[in-house]
Amino acid sequence: MAATIREVADRAGVSPSTVSRAFTRPEMVDTATRDRVLDVAGRLGYQPSASARSLRTGRTGAIGVLVPDLANPFFPELVRGAQRRARELGHPVLLADSGEDPDAELGLVRTLAQNVDGLVLCSPRMSDAALAEAARLRPVVLVNRAAPGSPAATVPPVLIDNAGGIEQALRHLRALGHHRVGFVAATETSRSHAQRLDAFRTRTPAHGLAGIVLGPYPPTVEGGAAAGDDVLLADVTAVVVANDVMAAGLVARLSRLGLALPERLSIVGFDDIAISALLTPALTTVRIPLDRAGVVAVERLHGHLAGGVVAGGVVDGGPGPGTPVPGVPDALPTELVVRASTASVPGDPQG
């Protein structure tokens, strides 16, 4: 039979309310007492009742994580980082997948909000108005998107330096002697894709490059394959692809056509998902710190929730959601990973 809170209190020489605070508001209990309570609780096998705690405090301790598509290799690593950090901080995680449907996201947020204290929204596609409603329901942290018109302290974002990644890719291709570079664009409307495309358009001239935008194509393997013929007709010696999934489709298509890669065409992807290093040739790509993004998102949400009672998206007491995480810049840095899919431009681009 499980130990009761009174048994722990008697053995530790404290009141039951002190035992409760040691678990729910540890900052209100001095270190020696808290350690003694937790040690006794561990030896007796005592576990506080989550449902009872929820009734007393109005909090569940859980956080919700919403992603557009778990089948997209971009998101599993991000989710793993979030789940690992949430587990370390004592938060159960409820995960939802919107199936790339912006209209479904707000409905999922409403459902999750009934069972969680806060939400991590990963690359949400919902409108600004829907996002504002989500933030009214529960504290929200955004990954890979900022909320227009909302102060960072209200809806804090965890951003990625997409423009910096494009800058590194263009610098690399220019150093290899390329002059005409294409960008294989996607049909998606995400903030990250818009940043990558805008950075390509604005920064190619600074590197003495002629930049040609191709597409857009679906952000899938099939979409990348569909870009193959247009890439061949574009008279470019290198392309930057909107994401690694599309780059995989492009590599497969061009290889089937017998094009020598990278001798005839250099290819740079974006994201550095797991399959990138397994392609033939292995893909040069811009690495995003996906695991770190998930960790930082949970830390910021935890900082918002710590020490307060959630009610209608407002937390009484404790630091705000924008509480900085030590060592984390405004935008998490990207890194170019050079593999075998890029090479010096041939003397005659037409072979």
Side-chain angles (χ1 to χ4, degrees), residues 47-313:
Q47 290 292 333
S49 167
S51 58
R53 183 170 64 248
S54 176
L55 288 173
R56 289 194 308 272
T57 67
R59 299 181 63 172
T60 67
I63 62 175
V65 177
L66 176 63
V67 300
D69 183 9
L70 270 176
N72 185 331
F74 180 92
F75 293 105
E77 186 176 350
L78 192 155
V79 170
R80 279 195 295 271
Q83 288 181 317
R84 185 182 69 253
R85 189 63 179 127
R87 185 169 59 250
E88 293 168 351
L89 293 171
H91 296 291
V93 173
L94 301 184
L95 179 63
D97 181 336
S98 68
E100 293 283 1
D101 182 357
D103 295 331
E105 289 188 335
L106 185 56
L108 288 169
V109 165
R110 289 170 177 153
T111 300
L112 286 170
Q114 301 175 43
N115 302 286
V116 301
D117 293 344
L119 295 158
V120 174
L121 306 183
C122 303
S123 299
R125 271 62 165 169
M126 69 178 73
S127 67
D128 293 342
L131 191 57
E133 180 178 339
R136 287 193 294 269
L137 293 171
R138 283 291 183 267
V140 166
V141 171
L142 298 178
V143 178
N144 218 21
R145 177 177 171 179
S150 296
T154 304
V155 185
V158 178
L159 304 177
I160 306 296
D161 186 13
N162 289 290
I166 292 293
E167 174 74 22
Q168 294 175 65
L170 294 178
R171 188 184 307 120
H172 172 64
L173 293 174
R174 185 65 184 87
L176 292 174
H178 295 275
H179 293 280
R180 288 180 59 82
V181 177
F183 182 87
V184 180
T187 54
E188 65 178 348
T189 58
S190 69
R191 173 187 181 277
S192 59
H193 178 265
Q195 284 188 330
R196 295 170 194 181
L197 178 56
D198 182 66
F200 178 85
R201 283 174 166 155
T202 58
R203 299 192 183 194
T204 43
H207 290 279
L209 298 169
I212 298 93
V213 176
L214 304 170
Y217 310 91
T220 60
V221 171
E222 293 76 17
D229 290 348
D230 289 342
V231 168
L232 290 176
L233 294 172
D235 188 26
V236 295
T237 59
V239 290
V240 179
V241 187
N243 63 56
D244 285 355
V245 172
M246 295 176 70
L250 180 61
V251 167
R253 169 66 173 161
L254 297 180
S255 297
R256 285 196 300 270
L257 293 174
L259 191 75
L261 302 174
E263 293 80 6
R264 290 282 303 278
L265 182 78
S266 289
I267 299 177
V268 179
F270 213 110
D271 293 336
D272 194 28
I273 60 177
I275 65 170
S276 302
L278 305 178
L279 299 176
T280 303
L283 187 65
T284 294
T285 185
V286 177
R287 175 178 294 160
I288 287 181
L290 296 172
D291 181 277
R292 181 63 179 152
V295 167
V296 171
V298 168
E299 287 178 340
R300 289 184 175 174
L301 185 58
H302 173 79
H304 183 43
L305 299 175
V309 176
V310 179

Side-chain angles (χ1 to χ4, degrees), residues 3-20 23 33 36-38 40-41 44 46:
T4 66
I5 190 171
R6 185 167 295 282
E7 289 172 327
V8 174
D10 290 344
R11 188 74 63 89
V14 297
S15 67
S17 61
T18 299
V19 174
S20 177
F23 283 94
T33 302
R36 185 168 74 254
V37 168
L38 296 179
V40 170
L44 294 179
Y46 169 76

